[in-house]
Amino acid sequence: MWDFGRLSIVAELIRDHIYLESIDEYCEKTGVRKKDFVPIEAQDFGGEIFAVDGSNAAVCNWSVANLNLIRAGFAVYRGREWQRTTITYDDVFLADPRICEDLFDPCLKAFFGLKGIDLKESDLDRLSTYFRELQEYIALNEAIIEARSGDIILYDGGFDVFEPLRSVLAVIFKRAEDKDVDLLAVSKSSTLFWGEGLTLPFLQHTSYAGSLFVPGVPWYLDLKDKRVEHGQGRWNGETYIARFAGSSERAFRVDAPSYVRDRIGSALGKLVAHSCSSECLGYPHALFRAHEDVRISGQECDLLRLRLMEMLGDMGMSEPHVRMLMQDFHDVLDMRQQI
Amino acid sequence: MVQEADLSAFRSKLGSEVEKALHDKKVIRKEDTTYRIISKSVTEYQFIVPFDLPDEQRVEVGQIFSIKDHDEARGRRLTFLARVLDIQHGSNYEGNWDTTMKGTQFFDHEQIFNRVFAGPLGCVNCDGSFRKSRTIPTKFSTVSRAERSEFKFLKQVMGDIEIGYLRNGSRLVEEIPVALHSDTIDHHMGVFATTGMGKSNFMKVFAASCMRLAVRGESKFGLLIVDPHGEYLNGKGSIKGLMHLKRYRDGLACYSTDRKNSQDPGVEELAISESEVRPEDIALLYEWSPPQRDALDAISRIFDGGNWLEEIQSPDGLARMMQEGFKDSTVNVLVRRIKNILEKNKYIQRRSSLANILASLQSGKVVLVDIPRMSDRSELFLLSVISRYIMEEYKKDEHEGRKNCLITIEEAQRVLGAGSNTSRFETIAREGRKFGVGLCAITQQPKLIDKQLLSQFNTLVVMGLGDRNDRIQLEESAKQDLSTLDIEIQTLEKGEAIVSTLKIPFPVPARIHRFEDYLRRLEKEDADDALISRGGFRPFLE
Ligand SMILES: Nc1ncnc2c1ncn2[C@@H]1O[C@H](COP(=O)(O)OP(=O)(O)OP(=O)(O)O)[C@@H](O)[C@H]1O
Ligand SMILES: [Mg+2]
């Protein structure tokens, strides 16, 4: 057996740096002050909230191409009443650089009036991620079309995106502004860090600071001019940290295009009024529902894999042959029954 | 590696597929989330309904739903019919959040629902024929309350002896009369209900339908009812009797031990001749000590069959019994009891009605033997004499046009119980069918009826049964699966029944006609009009 030497070093590290005893250093290093935490007042809201989400699950992985199931869509709420869920894409995606443009280009052209984007250098995993994001943007676009002036459109994720798709977001921002809707991206996970030596989790520490400075109320914090890397300048908007319910411990990263900046308090106020459900306290409920409705279950992937096997069988391929092609050797090692 | 040419063919195919699907979208709305099949097997369907429906839309146990598994493009056209067996609370959260009321309230009310468990009745295919279902509706097929037009398929499976209307939950479907099949009736039949739930009413309705068939020349069996309570002949107060069905009066033959009743010209005074009484009938009337039993058993050996009642009472008879080694005290008890019987049962005479009774039965009529105020044992005694006679006659060669016969036994647990000493009825139960004689056992306590016998009953009319053991006994011996209906059987109200019979492919929920209403309707019906195909008349005053 090994001893726990290295484990205890990690434990020490966590205690000394990640677990904050005082927030002085955090404040000093990041420039965050007590007055930066702006309490949010819940606001009545008669319009609709659209929440866009996507989901991506691997059906099978070959070394030369991956087959994924991708789904994107949005849930629509008026107040606390779910209105509908629209699924805009629900199909497989074959990640192969040679056919990528056949899948991306028609969408880019039809929905955003853009010419193709260059994906030749991307690896296979990236390809399906891009495609999923593209489908989420198409869902966003559809939501903007269906929305009326004053409505809120939420996106599950962030707007600080990979280069190839930034041009798509720019079109979306413009359309959202023209339609006069509040477009906000809410991230469940965030890659914000502070500190020079060790990278420390900014979101969690900000959340902690918030509960000390403005306990028991929802609040938001504007990251403009704060010393934390959040992709500022790479896209046309601002990043905020927000807590949507006073009694919740969690805070979220919120990205908003720059045209929302001067009404961000009221936009977040409307969200606060709809982040108090029993199903998911402290998180905008529409996003919770979108996540539930769009999520791809393991069962669905299994079914699809079986169906594919069947089709191959119908086309005259023998099962051992298919198995040889489709089975991932990890699954063999782990003794998982994959196909 | 894929060749360049193949790749471009593949790409152009893919391209057109992508182009085609570009603007596809699927919208899910509130109305799509409920009233759909979500599970589960050939024997049980599950679907969900909103958990907060207004009263008039509430789902009830026993209600019939139709599942339309229609997709022309894929060649699916089946409609399944199923009835509700149970309803349970459910949610997509599987209880994860139901009890931790954080937050202010649930937003997604359609994620919380009632899960309805339904038992299949059968399916209707495109040519409109109804049959038992050997398959399962496609997942997410839409479910709706069965409409009148869908019930009409059930008409196809009904028989000729009308007893009530189809019941859909607690609602009636008047278009669909529930009717038993005459040709299954020689197989035994059972009527089960706790007291006051409507057994006697059912028997009168059943008898009325039989009288009607007899008059129309369509009867396939004669029905014998021995009535110790005096309720079938003329009824009591506002409760009517079979005599009130004037229109089909010719389908009924009445015998009575009651002086007043038999003054009616349509009622014959009941008579049984001494020669038709056997020692084993006498045995039914008293508790006997072992020596007394031995003496009884010896009688048929010692005396002439036709005249033993008289002979044993004579001094000569006593002497012959003593010669056979029986004590005089034993024989004296026997003789005293026999005298007592003859004294009490004035209908034991020289004359006999049995031949007439038999003739009526064999011509397919309803025979009512009215024996009001008769004691329990005396009734059994009489029933024993009559049914032995019938059985013996039916065992003889069948003559042209002879109809089968169904013998009704009230409180049947007395004679068909496990370990009862009345083997006569068990004999009929076990071998009567061969000769065209069936039993109609009426009882409040099916749990006391011999299980093996019960399993020979092909028609069960199950009305409200509160006792769990009664229900279990029936469920375990029924030919059709009644166990899934347990909840419904528990909640049956007066006059409501589940009818399980061979020719109908599922246990039918029925509301038995109230006899008085049925009478009025029978009196009114058009002579040529087949009752079964009529609808729209409302015999029930709600
Ligand atoms: N189908 C029916 N519709 C309306 N009323 C009914 C129905 N069946 C029975 N009843 C009423 O219920 C009462 C009891 O019925 P019934 O005498 O038939 O019950 P039972 O089961 O024979 O009772 P018991 O065990 O005392 O013999 C009667 O007043 C009768 O009119
Ligand atoms: Mg009764």
mmCIF file of all heavy atoms in Angstrom, chain B residues 195-196 198-201 229 231-232 410-411 442 444, ligand 2:
data_model
loop_
_atom_site.group_PDB
_atom_site.id
_atom_site.type_symbol
_atom_site.label_atom_id
_atom_site.label_comp_id
_atom_site.label_asym_id
_atom_site.label_seq_id
_atom_site.Cartn_x
_atom_site.Cartn_y
_atom_site.Cartn_z
ATOM 1 N N THR B 195 -74.880 -9.489 1.702
ATOM 2 C CA THR B 195 -76.321 -9.337 1.801
ATOM 3 C C THR B 195 -76.779 -7.930 1.407
ATOM 4 O O THR B 195 -76.109 -6.949 1.683
ATOM 5 C CB THR B 195 -76.800 -9.724 3.220
ATOM 6 O OG1 THR B 195 -78.191 -9.500 3.279
ATOM 7 C CG2 THR B 195 -76.108 -8.919 4.296
ATOM 8 N N GLY B 196 -77.888 -7.890 0.677
ATOM 9 C CA GLY B 196 -78.470 -6.607 0.294
ATOM 10 C C GLY B 196 -77.849 -5.971 -0.932
ATOM 11 O O GLY B 196 -78.239 -4.889 -1.345
ATOM 12 N N GLY B 198 -77.967 -7.178 -3.957
ATOM 13 C CA GLY B 198 -78.800 -7.329 -5.152
ATOM 14 C C GLY B 198 -78.803 -8.707 -5.795
ATOM 15 O O GLY B 198 -79.042 -8.828 -6.989
ATOM 16 N N LYS B 199 -78.572 -9.737 -5.000
ATOM 17 C CA LYS B 199 -78.582 -11.085 -5.581
ATOM 18 C C LYS B 199 -79.984 -11.464 -6.058
ATOM 19 O O LYS B 199 -80.167 -11.940 -7.185
ATOM 20 C CB LYS B 199 -78.117 -12.134 -4.540
ATOM 21 C CG LYS B 199 -76.675 -11.976 -4.112
ATOM 22 C CD LYS B 199 -76.277 -13.028 -3.104
ATOM 23 C CE LYS B 199 -77.078 -12.968 -1.802
ATOM 24 N NZ LYS B 199 -76.767 -11.784 -0.989
ATOM 25 N N SER B 200 -80.967 -11.254 -5.194
ATOM 26 C CA SER B 200 -82.331 -11.648 -5.555
ATOM 27 C C SER B 200 -82.818 -10.838 -6.740
ATOM 28 O O SER B 200 -83.452 -11.352 -7.661
ATOM 29 C CB SER B 200 -83.272 -11.443 -4.372
ATOM 30 O OG SER B 200 -82.788 -12.146 -3.262
ATOM 31 N N ASN B 201 -82.482 -9.547 -6.730
ATOM 32 C CA ASN B 201 -82.859 -8.704 -7.857
ATOM 33 C C ASN B 201 -82.250 -9.248 -9.146
ATOM 34 O O ASN B 201 -82.908 -9.342 -10.183
ATOM 35 C CB ASN B 201 -82.384 -7.273 -7.588
ATOM 36 C CG ASN B 201 -82.700 -6.343 -8.737
ATOM 37 O OD1 ASN B 201 -83.837 -5.941 -8.937
ATOM 38 N ND2 ASN B 201 -81.681 -6.036 -9.522
ATOM 39 N N HIS B 229 -87.927 -17.680 0.571
ATOM 40 C CA HIS B 229 -88.261 -16.404 1.191
ATOM 41 C C HIS B 229 -89.559 -15.830 0.656
ATOM 42 O O HIS B 229 -89.997 -14.778 1.100
ATOM 43 C CB HIS B 229 -87.134 -15.393 0.977
ATOM 44 C CG HIS B 229 -85.794 -15.894 1.417
ATOM 45 N ND1 HIS B 229 -85.551 -16.280 2.724
ATOM 46 C CD2 HIS B 229 -84.651 -16.096 0.738
ATOM 47 C CE1 HIS B 229 -84.304 -16.689 2.818
ATOM 48 N NE2 HIS B 229 -83.726 -16.598 1.628
ATOM 49 N N GLU B 231 -90.084 -14.345 -2.137
ATOM 50 C CA GLU B 231 -89.906 -13.003 -2.699
ATOM 51 C C GLU B 231 -90.001 -12.960 -4.219
ATOM 52 O O GLU B 231 -90.123 -11.903 -4.804
ATOM 53 C CB GLU B 231 -88.570 -12.392 -2.237
ATOM 54 C CG GLU B 231 -87.376 -13.266 -2.541
ATOM 55 C CD GLU B 231 -86.046 -12.681 -2.047
ATOM 56 O OE1 GLU B 231 -85.986 -11.474 -1.760
ATOM 57 O OE2 GLU B 231 -85.076 -13.443 -1.959
ATOM 58 N N TYR B 232 -89.923 -14.119 -4.857
ATOM 59 C CA TYR B 232 -89.886 -14.091 -6.320
ATOM 60 C C TYR B 232 -91.266 -14.083 -6.967
ATOM 61 O O TYR B 232 -91.450 -13.546 -8.042
ATOM 62 C CB TYR B 232 -89.118 -15.304 -6.855
ATOM 63 C CG TYR B 232 -87.636 -15.230 -6.611
ATOM 64 C CD1 TYR B 232 -86.988 -16.223 -5.880
ATOM 65 C CD2 TYR B 232 -86.883 -14.180 -7.104
ATOM 66 C CE1 TYR B 232 -85.613 -16.156 -5.660
ATOM 67 C CE2 TYR B 232 -85.525 -14.105 -6.890
ATOM 68 C CZ TYR B 232 -84.891 -15.096 -6.166
ATOM 69 O OH TYR B 232 -83.560 -15.026 -5.954
ATOM 70 N N GLU B 410 -80.017 -21.176 -3.438
ATOM 71 C CA GLU B 410 -79.706 -20.016 -2.594
ATOM 72 C C GLU B 410 -78.841 -20.487 -1.439
ATOM 73 O O GLU B 410 -78.901 -21.639 -1.018
ATOM 74 C CB GLU B 410 -81.003 -19.404 -2.041
ATOM 75 C CG GLU B 410 -81.834 -18.694 -3.103
ATOM 76 C CD GLU B 410 -81.829 -17.172 -2.939
ATOM 77 O OE1 GLU B 410 -81.036 -16.654 -2.125
ATOM 78 O OE2 GLU B 410 -82.612 -16.518 -3.644
ATOM 79 N N GLU B 411 -78.060 -19.578 -0.897
ATOM 80 C CA GLU B 411 -77.145 -19.900 0.208
ATOM 81 C C GLU B 411 -76.402 -21.197 -0.100
ATOM 82 O O GLU B 411 -76.374 -22.134 0.683
ATOM 83 C CB GLU B 411 -77.903 -20.045 1.538
ATOM 84 C CG GLU B 411 -78.798 -18.874 1.898
ATOM 85 C CD GLU B 411 -78.030 -17.585 2.151
ATOM 86 O OE1 GLU B 411 -76.797 -17.651 2.338
ATOM 87 O OE2 GLU B 411 -78.656 -16.519 2.114
ATOM 88 N N ILE B 442 -75.986 -19.380 -5.547
ATOM 89 C CA ILE B 442 -76.037 -18.005 -5.052
ATOM 90 C C ILE B 442 -75.489 -18.022 -3.634
ATOM 91 O O ILE B 442 -75.910 -18.850 -2.820
ATOM 92 C CB ILE B 442 -77.482 -17.495 -5.014
ATOM 93 C CG1 ILE B 442 -78.089 -17.644 -6.413
ATOM 94 C CG2 ILE B 442 -77.554 -16.054 -4.545
ATOM 95 C CD1 ILE B 442 -79.549 -17.275 -6.455
ATOM 96 N N GLN B 444 -73.430 -15.616 -0.283
ATOM 97 C CA GLN B 444 -72.776 -14.423 0.248
ATOM 98 C C GLN B 444 -71.335 -14.721 0.591
ATOM 99 O O GLN B 444 -70.565 -13.817 0.855
ATOM 100 C CB GLN B 444 -73.443 -13.985 1.541
ATOM 101 C CG GLN B 444 -74.912 -13.771 1.436
ATOM 102 C CD GLN B 444 -75.463 -13.289 2.758
ATOM 103 O OE1 GLN B 444 -74.747 -12.679 3.543
ATOM 104 N NE2 GLN B 444 -76.721 -13.554 3.001
HETATM 105 MG MG MG C 2 -81.821 -12.174 -1.610
#
